[in-house]
Amino acid sequence: MELEANQIEVGKQYILIEEPFNGAIVTILHDEKGKSPNWLGWIVRVDKNIAGIEHPIGKEITVGWNKEYKHYCPAKFYALEVESPLVESLVTKKNSIRSEA
């Protein structure tokens, strides 16, 4: 289940999915909520690429959305322990690509 903004905590790791195909395990480094009106965002560090995120391991990026227009933002956070068909399919697809190489 997708996490709400108030469930995301600095210092914890989450699965970040940028729909439809990109995923990574990230650590929340800084909370930027309120940086501008209606902004919900964080600075995150990419810890592990699980499906197509173009940022290298260790890269710090800003992720977030305008709470009024969330439907325009494909970024979603999930608990690291989540069992999700989407996450499982992304990980499986990535691993199968590696094993073919």
Side-chain angles (χ1 to χ4, degrees), residues 3-58:
L3 298 174
E4 299 292 329
N6 63 354
Q7 297 175 292
I8 299 168
E9 299 178 33
V10 172
K12 292 197 174 185
Q13 279 189 319
Y14 298 94
I15 296 170
L16 168 65
I17 302 294
E18 291 180 336
E19 293 184 339
F21 303 116
N22 300 326
I25 295 174
V26 299
T27 299
I28 307 297
L29 299 179
H30 181 70
D31 187 340
E32 292 194 319
K33 288 182 275 198
K35 180 177 162 181
S36 61
N38 296 315
W39 175 251
L40 299 171
W42 303 266
I43 294 176
V44 304
R45 179 186 61 236
V46 176
D47 296 328
K48 182 176 182 180
N49 183 330
I50 58 174
I53 292 256
E54 294 181 5
H55 304 293
I57 304 302

Side-chain angles (χ1 to χ4, degrees), residues 73-93:
C73 179
K76 296 181 180 186
F77 287 94
Y78 296 88
L80 198 52
E81 300 81 29
V82 72
E83 289 187 25
S84 162
L86 172 63
V87 173
E88 289 173 12
S89 68
L90 289 172
V91 172
T92 303
K93 183 171 180 65

